[in-house]
């Protein structure tokens, strides 16, 4: 199956089992906007809890806030979003489709990389066990030629983007003979800049003075509350402020399901440090964030850092944690050393002094900031895509199972009476009632037990217990493991401990480093 087919299946599965729906579906949908269903919201909440607790519970020097989506419009001037939060756009004159110029070029480079990977795979097959991939990549003429081409295109794109040279971007598209995926033609318009912020009017004023923006990132809500939190919380540097909330971007290339949305949710943390110590903290946060991801057990090889060579003007270091999605390695989280850019600009634009008096050095200064920023929805897609699995069973049947890490699974336990009579449903209900405030449990008595297991596999429930006729006398239930499908018999009174040992966040947090 191609990656695209896997992805299509994943999207269909997410809909069929109540994880993600297209927004406004009965009105033919709203592009790049999605709703989370009954399973999706549970998974999303668990992801948020994992992030929030790892930030603000594990670290005594990180606190949380929840700032408003609407903010004073000057904030977006100070942050640079009004002037520079743009994407370079290009239209195909025949299909009338609009594209992000840099994404067209990135896709072109990805195709070259695909060719390289195919060549490597051919080599692997040919040389078998003796295959040395590093040597092959360094010597094979086809690989070298394609790699050179990809590097050259990449370098030209970076140069054009950094210089904001829209003509050079268009020239690159023409030189690479990139065609519109819809019309197949190379009939392109000029490249133009397009601001990604959604705007609306506040109050009854309809002129520019009343224009406000839907925030394109949650970070600015943290910066403008720096003094409030520092003073009221008596916070001492280094300390962090964390926030989870909605962000909005009028993305031009909105595709790949919930990877790039127009309304999405971010989990951001700004860590305020003494000037000069930011790169040390940047390195620490890189490791701590990677550790947070890996502790979930989705597979260590699924992550890689992509350090930015060309930095935004306000940053002195930046990296992405990339995840291997069904469509390749893509950005999952950004970690940025943002210097004192944001606080200094807010000081300048607001006219208020934003400084910190450091009792240890007896100095006042504008703190430097290391930011970690991850999209909830992207994390959701990472979990869902890497958990989805179609398995051939010994009896020839196929089962679809979501191997979601148990701590994140929407439902932790399914409670199933074997039959709907003989007092079994009553015992099952009693168990359900005694556990439902400890874990999200689902009661299921419909269909054969095999069908019920399949249903639970499909939503990623790590454990099912079956109440059978023996339960009446021995007060034991059969507990079935989603991944191994093994069953064991345990006393009813041990069920709570059994599930908690395997689904409690504590076990994951024990693997994480702290800021202190
Ligand atoms: N405050 C920094 C900031 O917003 P960013 O790289 O633009 O940085 C951070 O965004 C993270 O937010 C990304 O790594 C990604 O996980 C998520 N994100 C950004 N745009 C998104 C979109 N259109 N849809 C879904 N997630 C998005």
């Amino acid at each position: 199956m191609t990656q695209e087919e896997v992805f299509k299946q994943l999207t269909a599965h997410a809909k069929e089992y109540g994880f993600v729906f297209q927004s406004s579906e009965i009105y033919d949908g709203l592009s790049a906007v999605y709703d989370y269903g009954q399973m999706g919201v549970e998974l999303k909440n668990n992801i948020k809890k994992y992030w929030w607790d790892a930030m603000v519970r594990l670290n005594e020097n990180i606190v949380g806030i929840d700032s408003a989506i609407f903010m004073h419009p000057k904030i977006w001037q100070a942050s640079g979003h009004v002037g520079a939060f743009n994407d370079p756009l290009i239209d195909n004159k025949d299909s009338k489709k609009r594209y992000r110029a840099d994404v067209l070029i990135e896709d072109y480079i990805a195709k070259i990389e695909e060719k390289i990977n195919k060549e490597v795979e051919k080599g692997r097959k040919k040389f078998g066990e003796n295959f040395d991939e590093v040597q092959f990549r360094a010597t094979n003429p086809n690989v070298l030629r394609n790699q050179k081409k990809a590097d050259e295109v990449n370098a030209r794109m970076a140069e054009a983007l950094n210089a904001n040279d829209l003509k050079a971007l268009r020239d690159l598209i023409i030189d690479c003979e990139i065609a519109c995926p819809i019309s197949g033609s190379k009939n392109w318009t000029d490249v133009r800049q397009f601001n990604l912020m959604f705007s609306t009017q506040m109050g009854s004023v309809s002129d520019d003075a009343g224009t406000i923006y839907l925030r394109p990132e949650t970070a600015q809500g943290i910066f403008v509350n720096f003094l409030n939190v520092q003073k009221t919380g008596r916070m001492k540097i280094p300390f962090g402020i964390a926030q989870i909330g909605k962000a909005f971007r009028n993305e031009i290339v909105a595709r790949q399901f919930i990877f790039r949305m127009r309304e999405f949710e971010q989990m951001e943390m700004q860590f305020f440090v003494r000037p000069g110590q930011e790169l040390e903290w940047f390195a620490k946060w890189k490791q701590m964030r990677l550790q947070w991801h890996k502790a979930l057990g989705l597979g260590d090889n699924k992550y890689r850092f992509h350090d930015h060579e060309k930095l935004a003007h306000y940053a002195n270091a930046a990296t992405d944690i990339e995840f291997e999605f069904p469509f390749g390695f893509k950005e999952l989280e950004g970690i940025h050393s943002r210097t004192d850019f944001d606080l200094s600009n807010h000081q300048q634009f607001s006219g208020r002094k934003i400084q910190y008096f450091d009792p240890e050095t007896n100095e006042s200064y504008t703190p430097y900031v290391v930011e970690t920023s991850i999209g909830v929805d992207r994390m959701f897609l990472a979990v869902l895509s890497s958990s989805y699995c179609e398995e051939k069973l010994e009896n020839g049947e196929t089962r679809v199972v979501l191997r979601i890490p148990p701590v994140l699974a929407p439902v932790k336990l399914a409670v199933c009476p074997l039959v709907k009579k003989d007092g079994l449903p009553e015992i099952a209900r009693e168990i359900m009632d005694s556990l439902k405030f400890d874990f999200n449990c689902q009661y299921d008595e419909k269909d054969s037990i095999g069908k019920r297991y399949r249903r639970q596999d499909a939503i990623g429930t790590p454990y099912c217990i079956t109440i059978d006729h023996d339960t009446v006398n021995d007060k034991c239930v059969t507990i079935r493991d989603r991944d191994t499908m093994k069953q064991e018999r345990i006393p009813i009174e041990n069920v709570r401990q059994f599930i908690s040992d395997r689904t409690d966040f504590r076990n994951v947090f024990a693997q994480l480093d702290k800021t202190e």
Side-chain angles (χ1 to χ4, degrees), residues 249-272:
R249 295 182 189 177
N250 198 359
E251 299 281 2
I252 305 313
V253 183
R255 56 175 187 186
Q256 288 160 332
F257 193 31
I258 53 174
F259 183 79
R260 199 178 299 286
M261 303 156 85
R262 295 201 166 104
E263 173 180 341
F264 59 102
E265 212 164 350
Q266 285 187 317
M267 304 188 282
E268 297 201 294
M269 193 278 306
Q270 312 296 322
F271 200 70
F272 300 94

PDB file of all heavy atoms in Angstrom, residues 249-272:
ATOM      1  N   ARG A 249      -4.858  30.591  11.403  1.00  0.00           N
ATOM      2  CA  ARG A 249      -4.014  31.062  10.293  1.00  0.00           C
ATOM      3  C   ARG A 249      -4.742  30.768   8.992  1.00  0.00           C
ATOM      4  O   ARG A 249      -5.241  29.650   8.796  1.00  0.00           O
ATOM      5  CB  ARG A 249      -2.659  30.332  10.278  1.00  0.00           C
ATOM      6  CG  ARG A 249      -1.829  30.639  11.492  1.00  0.00           C
ATOM      7  CD  ARG A 249      -0.471  29.955  11.463  1.00  0.00           C
ATOM      8  NE  ARG A 249       0.179  30.131  12.751  1.00  0.00           N
ATOM      9  CZ  ARG A 249       1.344  29.623  13.102  1.00  0.00           C
ATOM     10  NH1 ARG A 249       2.030  28.910  12.227  1.00  0.00           N
ATOM     11  NH2 ARG A 249       1.847  29.835  14.290  1.00  0.00           N
ATOM     12  N   ASN A 250      -4.769  31.767   8.136  1.00  0.00           N
ATOM     13  CA  ASN A 250      -5.449  31.590   6.855  1.00  0.00           C
ATOM     14  C   ASN A 250      -4.514  30.880   5.881  1.00  0.00           C
ATOM     15  O   ASN A 250      -4.042  31.462   4.907  1.00  0.00           O
ATOM     16  CB  ASN A 250      -5.880  32.960   6.316  1.00  0.00           C
ATOM     17  CG  ASN A 250      -6.942  32.825   5.256  1.00  0.00           C
ATOM     18  OD1 ASN A 250      -7.343  31.711   4.912  1.00  0.00           O
ATOM     19  ND2 ASN A 250      -7.384  33.943   4.727  1.00  0.00           N
ATOM     20  N   GLU A 251      -4.227  29.618   6.192  1.00  0.00           N
ATOM     21  CA  GLU A 251      -3.258  28.842   5.427  1.00  0.00           C
ATOM     22  C   GLU A 251      -3.706  28.714   3.975  1.00  0.00           C
ATOM     23  O   GLU A 251      -4.888  28.474   3.702  1.00  0.00           O
ATOM     24  CB  GLU A 251      -3.126  27.427   6.018  1.00  0.00           C
ATOM     25  CG  GLU A 251      -2.639  27.385   7.456  1.00  0.00           C
ATOM     26  CD  GLU A 251      -1.136  27.571   7.574  1.00  0.00           C
ATOM     27  OE1 GLU A 251      -0.480  27.776   6.540  1.00  0.00           O
ATOM     28  OE2 GLU A 251      -0.626  27.528   8.711  1.00  0.00           O
ATOM     29  N   ILE A 252      -2.759  28.861   3.075  1.00  0.00           N
ATOM     30  CA  ILE A 252      -3.094  28.740   1.657  1.00  0.00           C
ATOM     31  C   ILE A 252      -3.098  27.288   1.249  1.00  0.00           C
ATOM     32  O   ILE A 252      -4.040  26.793   0.641  1.00  0.00           O
ATOM     33  CB  ILE A 252      -2.056  29.504   0.784  1.00  0.00           C
ATOM     34  CG1 ILE A 252      -1.982  30.932   1.258  1.00  0.00           C
ATOM     35  CG2 ILE A 252      -2.414  29.419  -0.687  1.00  0.00           C
ATOM     36  CD1 ILE A 252      -3.299  31.593   1.468  1.00  0.00           C
ATOM     37  N   VAL A 253      -2.017  26.601   1.623  1.00  0.00           N
ATOM     38  CA  VAL A 253      -1.988  25.177   1.322  1.00  0.00           C
ATOM     39  C   VAL A 253      -2.478  24.459   2.560  1.00  0.00           C
ATOM     40  O   VAL A 253      -1.748  24.237   3.503  1.00  0.00           O
ATOM     41  CB  VAL A 253      -0.555  24.722   0.997  1.00  0.00           C
ATOM     42  CG1 VAL A 253      -0.536  23.257   0.619  1.00  0.00           C
ATOM     43  CG2 VAL A 253      -0.010  25.560  -0.132  1.00  0.00           C
ATOM     44  N   ALA A 254      -3.757  24.187   2.572  1.00  0.00           N
ATOM     45  CA  ALA A 254      -4.333  23.513   3.722  1.00  0.00           C
ATOM     46  C   ALA A 254      -4.667  22.110   3.258  1.00  0.00           C
ATOM     47  O   ALA A 254      -5.578  21.915   2.469  1.00  0.00           O
ATOM     48  CB  ALA A 254      -5.565  24.255   4.185  1.00  0.00           C
ATOM     49  N   ARG A 255      -3.871  21.149   3.650  1.00  0.00           N
ATOM     50  CA  ARG A 255      -4.110  19.797   3.178  1.00  0.00           C
ATOM     51  C   ARG A 255      -3.478  18.835   4.156  1.00  0.00           C
ATOM     52  O   ARG A 255      -3.005  19.229   5.201  1.00  0.00           O
ATOM     53  CB  ARG A 255      -3.537  19.605   1.779  1.00  0.00           C
ATOM     54  CG  ARG A 255      -2.085  19.944   1.728  1.00  0.00           C
ATOM     55  CD  ARG A 255      -1.450  19.671   0.413  1.00  0.00           C
ATOM     56  NE  ARG A 255      -0.030  19.908   0.613  1.00  0.00           N
ATOM     57  CZ  ARG A 255       0.873  19.887  -0.323  1.00  0.00           C
ATOM     58  NH1 ARG A 255       0.525  19.643  -1.541  1.00  0.00           N
ATOM     59  NH2 ARG A 255       2.132  20.092  -0.053  1.00  0.00           N
ATOM     60  N   GLN A 256      -3.466  17.565   3.797  1.00  0.00           N
ATOM     61  CA  GLN A 256      -2.925  16.540   4.681  1.00  0.00           C
ATOM     62  C   GLN A 256      -3.699  16.511   5.990  1.00  0.00           C
ATOM     63  O   GLN A 256      -3.120  16.520   7.076  1.00  0.00           O
ATOM     64  CB  GLN A 256      -1.427  16.742   4.906  1.00  0.00           C
ATOM     65  CG  GLN A 256      -0.643  16.394   3.651  1.00  0.00           C
ATOM     66  CD  GLN A 256       0.731  16.988   3.614  1.00  0.00           C
ATOM     67  OE1 GLN A 256       0.990  18.035   4.192  1.00  0.00           O
ATOM     68  NE2 GLN A 256       1.625  16.349   2.906  1.00  0.00           N
ATOM     69  N   PHE A 257      -5.022  16.555   5.827  1.00  0.00           N
ATOM     70  CA  PHE A 257      -5.922  16.284   6.951  1.00  0.00           C
ATOM     71  C   PHE A 257      -5.666  17.302   8.053  1.00  0.00           C
ATOM     72  O   PHE A 257      -5.648  18.497   7.767  1.00  0.00           O
ATOM     73  CB  PHE A 257      -5.659  14.843   7.399  1.00  0.00           C
ATOM     74  CG  PHE A 257      -6.649  14.234   8.339  1.00  0.00           C
ATOM     75  CD1 PHE A 257      -7.987  14.588   8.322  1.00  0.00           C
ATOM     76  CD2 PHE A 257      -6.238  13.257   9.234  1.00  0.00           C
ATOM     77  CE1 PHE A 257      -8.875  14.001   9.192  1.00  0.00           C
ATOM     78  CE2 PHE A 257      -7.118  12.655  10.102  1.00  0.00           C
ATOM     79  CZ  PHE A 257      -8.432  13.033  10.078  1.00  0.00           C
ATOM     80  N   ILE A 258      -5.410  16.867   9.299  1.00  0.00           N
ATOM     81  CA  ILE A 258      -5.263  17.842  10.381  1.00  0.00           C
ATOM     82  C   ILE A 258      -3.820  18.320  10.540  1.00  0.00           C
ATOM     83  O   ILE A 258      -3.480  18.932  11.543  1.00  0.00           O
ATOM     84  CB  ILE A 258      -5.791  17.280  11.726  1.00  0.00           C
ATOM     85  CG1 ILE A 258      -5.143  15.921  12.036  1.00  0.00           C
ATOM     86  CG2 ILE A 258      -7.297  17.162  11.689  1.00  0.00           C
ATOM     87  CD1 ILE A 258      -5.506  15.396  13.417  1.00  0.00           C
ATOM     88  N   PHE A 259      -2.975  18.049   9.542  1.00  0.00           N
ATOM     89  CA  PHE A 259      -1.589  18.505   9.643  1.00  0.00           C
ATOM     90  C   PHE A 259      -1.514  20.027   9.551  1.00  0.00           C
ATOM     91  O   PHE A 259      -0.813  20.676  10.304  1.00  0.00           O
ATOM     92  CB  PHE A 259      -0.724  17.879   8.544  1.00  0.00           C
ATOM     93  CG  PHE A 259       0.717  18.265   8.649  1.00  0.00           C
ATOM     94  CD1 PHE A 259       1.552  17.645   9.567  1.00  0.00           C
ATOM     95  CD2 PHE A 259       1.242  19.281   7.861  1.00  0.00           C
ATOM     96  CE1 PHE A 259       2.878  18.021   9.690  1.00  0.00           C
ATOM     97  CE2 PHE A 259       2.571  19.669   7.978  1.00  0.00           C
ATOM     98  CZ  PHE A 259       3.387  19.030   8.892  1.00  0.00           C
ATOM     99  N   ARG A 260      -2.223  20.595   8.598  1.00  0.00           N
ATOM    100  CA  ARG A 260      -2.207  22.046   8.423  1.00  0.00           C
ATOM    101  C   ARG A 260      -3.636  22.547   8.391  1.00  0.00           C
ATOM    102  O   ARG A 260      -4.352  22.341   7.423  1.00  0.00           O
ATOM    103  CB  ARG A 260      -1.479  22.417   7.135  1.00  0.00           C
ATOM    104  CG  ARG A 260      -1.020  23.858   7.104  1.00  0.00           C
ATOM    105  CD  ARG A 260      -0.258  24.192   5.846  1.00  0.00           C
ATOM    106  NE  ARG A 260       0.950  23.425   5.653  1.00  0.00           N
ATOM    107  CZ  ARG A 260       2.080  23.600   6.338  1.00  0.00           C
ATOM    108  NH1 ARG A 260       2.162  24.530   7.260  1.00  0.00           N
ATOM    109  NH2 ARG A 260       3.143  22.854   6.107  1.00  0.00           N
ATOM    110  N   MET A 261      -4.059  23.186   9.458  1.00  0.00           N
ATOM    111  CA  MET A 261      -5.456  23.613   9.573  1.00  0.00           C
ATOM    112  C   MET A 261      -5.544  25.137   9.638  1.00  0.00           C
ATOM    113  O   MET A 261      -4.543  25.814   9.884  1.00  0.00           O
ATOM    114  CB  MET A 261      -6.068  23.027  10.858  1.00  0.00           C
ATOM    115  CG  MET A 261      -5.989  21.522  10.929  1.00  0.00           C
ATOM    116  SD  MET A 261      -6.036  20.964  12.625  1.00  0.00           S
ATOM    117  CE  MET A 261      -7.778  20.909  12.918  1.00  0.00           C
ATOM    118  N   ARG A 262      -6.752  25.630   9.452  1.00  0.00           N
ATOM    119  CA  ARG A 262      -6.919  27.092   9.566  1.00  0.00           C
ATOM    120  C   ARG A 262      -7.272  27.472  11.007  1.00  0.00           C
ATOM    121  O   ARG A 262      -6.994  28.578  11.438  1.00  0.00           O
ATOM    122  CB  ARG A 262      -7.994  27.566   8.578  1.00  0.00           C
ATOM    123  CG  ARG A 262      -7.530  27.341   7.142  1.00  0.00           C
ATOM    124  CD  ARG A 262      -8.251  28.197   6.130  1.00  0.00           C
ATOM    125  NE  ARG A 262      -7.554  28.171   4.863  1.00  0.00           N
ATOM    126  CZ  ARG A 262      -7.929  27.478   3.781  1.00  0.00           C
ATOM    127  NH1 ARG A 262      -9.042  26.772   3.785  1.00  0.00           N
ATOM    128  NH2 ARG A 262      -7.212  27.506   2.683  1.00  0.00           N
ATOM    129  N   GLU A 263      -7.903  26.569  11.717  1.00  0.00           N
ATOM    130  CA  GLU A 263      -8.142  26.755  13.156  1.00  0.00           C
ATOM    131  C   GLU A 263      -7.497  25.563  13.842  1.00  0.00           C
ATOM    132  O   GLU A 263      -7.828  24.424  13.507  1.00  0.00           O
ATOM    133  CB  GLU A 263      -9.651  26.790  13.445  1.00  0.00           C
ATOM    134  CG  GLU A 263      -9.945  26.820  14.926  1.00  0.00           C
ATOM    135  CD  GLU A 263     -11.447  26.844  15.235  1.00  0.00           C
ATOM    136  OE1 GLU A 263     -12.250  27.193  14.355  1.00  0.00           O
ATOM    137  OE2 GLU A 263     -11.789  26.487  16.367  1.00  0.00           O
ATOM    138  N   PHE A 264      -6.566  25.806  14.727  1.00  0.00           N
ATOM    139  CA  PHE A 264      -5.880  24.696  15.378  1.00  0.00           C
ATOM    140  C   PHE A 264      -5.531  25.084  16.804  1.00  0.00           C
ATOM    141  O   PHE A 264      -5.874  26.174  17.266  1.00  0.00           O
ATOM    142  CB  PHE A 264      -4.637  24.281  14.572  1.00  0.00           C
ATOM    143  CG  PHE A 264      -3.627  25.384  14.381  1.00  0.00           C
ATOM    144  CD1 PHE A 264      -2.470  25.433  15.158  1.00  0.00           C
ATOM    145  CD2 PHE A 264      -3.821  26.369  13.436  1.00  0.00           C
ATOM    146  CE1 PHE A 264      -1.531  26.448  14.980  1.00  0.00           C
ATOM    147  CE2 PHE A 264      -2.877  27.390  13.253  1.00  0.00           C
ATOM    148  CZ  PHE A 264      -1.748  27.430  14.022  1.00  0.00           C
ATOM    149  N   GLU A 265      -4.909  24.158  17.501  1.00  0.00           N
ATOM    150  CA  GLU A 265      -4.614  24.422  18.903  1.00  0.00           C
ATOM    151  C   GLU A 265      -3.112  24.272  19.137  1.00  0.00           C
ATOM    152  O   GLU A 265      -2.496  23.355  18.596  1.00  0.00           O
ATOM    153  CB  GLU A 265      -5.387  23.426  19.771  1.00  0.00           C
ATOM    154  CG  GLU A 265      -5.784  23.995  21.093  1.00  0.00           C
ATOM    155  CD  GLU A 265      -6.860  23.170  21.785  1.00  0.00           C
ATOM    156  OE1 GLU A 265      -7.440  22.268  21.170  1.00  0.00           O
ATOM    157  OE2 GLU A 265      -7.100  23.445  22.970  1.00  0.00           O
ATOM    158  N   GLN A 266      -2.569  25.176  19.933  1.00  0.00           N
ATOM    159  CA  GLN A 266      -1.137  25.110  20.226  1.00  0.00           C
ATOM    160  C   GLN A 266      -0.888  24.874  21.708  1.00  0.00           C
ATOM    161  O   GLN A 266      -1.705  25.258  22.548  1.00  0.00           O
ATOM    162  CB  GLN A 266      -0.460  26.442  19.858  1.00  0.00           C
ATOM    163  CG  GLN A 266      -0.274  26.650  18.371  1.00  0.00           C
ATOM    164  CD  GLN A 266       0.545  27.898  18.073  1.00  0.00           C
ATOM    165  OE1 GLN A 266       0.340  28.929  18.693  1.00  0.00           O
ATOM    166  NE2 GLN A 266       1.461  27.813  17.130  1.00  0.00           N
ATOM    167  N   MET A 267       0.252  24.260  22.003  1.00  0.00           N
ATOM    168  CA  MET A 267       0.709  24.122  23.389  1.00  0.00           C
ATOM    169  C   MET A 267       2.085  24.797  23.386  1.00  0.00           C
ATOM    170  O   MET A 267       3.022  24.279  22.782  1.00  0.00           O
ATOM    171  CB  MET A 267       0.845  22.651  23.771  1.00  0.00           C
ATOM    172  CG  MET A 267      -0.456  21.869  23.563  1.00  0.00           C
ATOM    173  SD  MET A 267      -0.450  20.184  24.197  1.00  0.00           S
ATOM    174  CE  MET A 267       0.465  19.300  22.945  1.00  0.00           C
ATOM    175  N   GLU A 268       2.146  25.980  24.003  1.00  0.00           N
ATOM    176  CA  GLU A 268       3.389  26.751  23.925  1.00  0.00           C
ATOM    177  C   GLU A 268       3.894  27.079  25.323  1.00  0.00           C
ATOM    178  O   GLU A 268       3.109  27.320  26.242  1.00  0.00           O
ATOM    179  CB  GLU A 268       3.165  28.054  23.154  1.00  0.00           C
ATOM    180  CG  GLU A 268       2.759  27.811  21.707  1.00  0.00           C
ATOM    181  CD  GLU A 268       3.015  29.016  20.814  1.00  0.00           C
ATOM    182  OE1 GLU A 268       2.356  30.046  21.014  1.00  0.00           O
ATOM    183  OE2 GLU A 268       3.865  28.918  19.927  1.00  0.00           O
ATOM    184  N   MET A 269       5.204  27.120  25.443  1.00  0.00           N
ATOM    185  CA  MET A 269       5.814  27.469  26.719  1.00  0.00           C
ATOM    186  C   MET A 269       6.967  28.427  26.438  1.00  0.00           C
ATOM    187  O   MET A 269       7.811  28.160  25.588  1.00  0.00           O
ATOM    188  CB  MET A 269       6.324  26.199  27.404  1.00  0.00           C
ATOM    189  CG  MET A 269       6.702  26.354  28.854  1.00  0.00           C
ATOM    190  SD  MET A 269       8.349  27.021  29.143  1.00  0.00           S
ATOM    191  CE  MET A 269       9.384  25.931  28.193  1.00  0.00           C
ATOM    192  N   GLN A 270       6.961  29.564  27.120  1.00  0.00           N
ATOM    193  CA  GLN A 270       8.052  30.527  26.982  1.00  0.00           C
ATOM    194  C   GLN A 270       8.861  30.451  28.269  1.00  0.00           C
ATOM    195  O   GLN A 270       8.318  30.638  29.368  1.00  0.00           O
ATOM    196  CB  GLN A 270       7.506  31.955  26.789  1.00  0.00           C
ATOM    197  CG  GLN A 270       6.404  32.091  25.734  1.00  0.00           C
ATOM    198  CD  GLN A 270       6.866  31.763  24.327  1.00  0.00           C
ATOM    199  OE1 GLN A 270       7.980  32.087  23.956  1.00  0.00           O
ATOM    200  NE2 GLN A 270       6.015  31.112  23.550  1.00  0.00           N
ATOM    201  N   PHE A 271      10.144  30.180  28.129  1.00  0.00           N
ATOM    202  CA  PHE A 271      11.021  30.025  29.286  1.00  0.00           C
ATOM    203  C   PHE A 271      11.955  31.228  29.352  1.00  0.00           C
ATOM    204  O   PHE A 271      12.723  31.477  28.426  1.00  0.00           O
ATOM    205  CB  PHE A 271      11.814  28.721  29.127  1.00  0.00           C
ATOM    206  CG  PHE A 271      12.367  28.198  30.404  1.00  0.00           C
ATOM    207  CD1 PHE A 271      11.526  27.671  31.387  1.00  0.00           C
ATOM    208  CD2 PHE A 271      13.728  28.220  30.651  1.00  0.00           C
ATOM    209  CE1 PHE A 271      12.039  27.182  32.576  1.00  0.00           C
ATOM    210  CE2 PHE A 271      14.244  27.735  31.840  1.00  0.00           C
ATOM    211  CZ  PHE A 271      13.392  27.212  32.799  1.00  0.00           C
ATOM    212  N   PHE A 272      11.827  32.015  30.438  1.00  0.00           N
ATOM    213  CA  PHE A 272      12.554  33.288  30.558  1.00  0.00           C
ATOM    214  C   PHE A 272      13.869  33.065  31.301  1.00  0.00           C
ATOM    215  O   PHE A 272      13.861  32.511  32.420  1.00  0.00           O
ATOM    216  CB  PHE A 272      11.677  34.309  31.289  1.00  0.00           C
ATOM    217  CG  PHE A 272      10.374  34.564  30.559  1.00  0.00           C
ATOM    218  CD1 PHE A 272       9.211  33.866  30.884  1.00  0.00           C
ATOM    219  CD2 PHE A 272      10.322  35.484  29.509  1.00  0.00           C
ATOM    220  CE1 PHE A 272       8.025  34.080  30.192  1.00  0.00           C
ATOM    221  CE2 PHE A 272       9.139  35.709  28.819  1.00  0.00           C
ATOM    222  CZ  PHE A 272       7.984  35.005  29.159  1.00  0.00           C
TER     223      PHE A 272
END
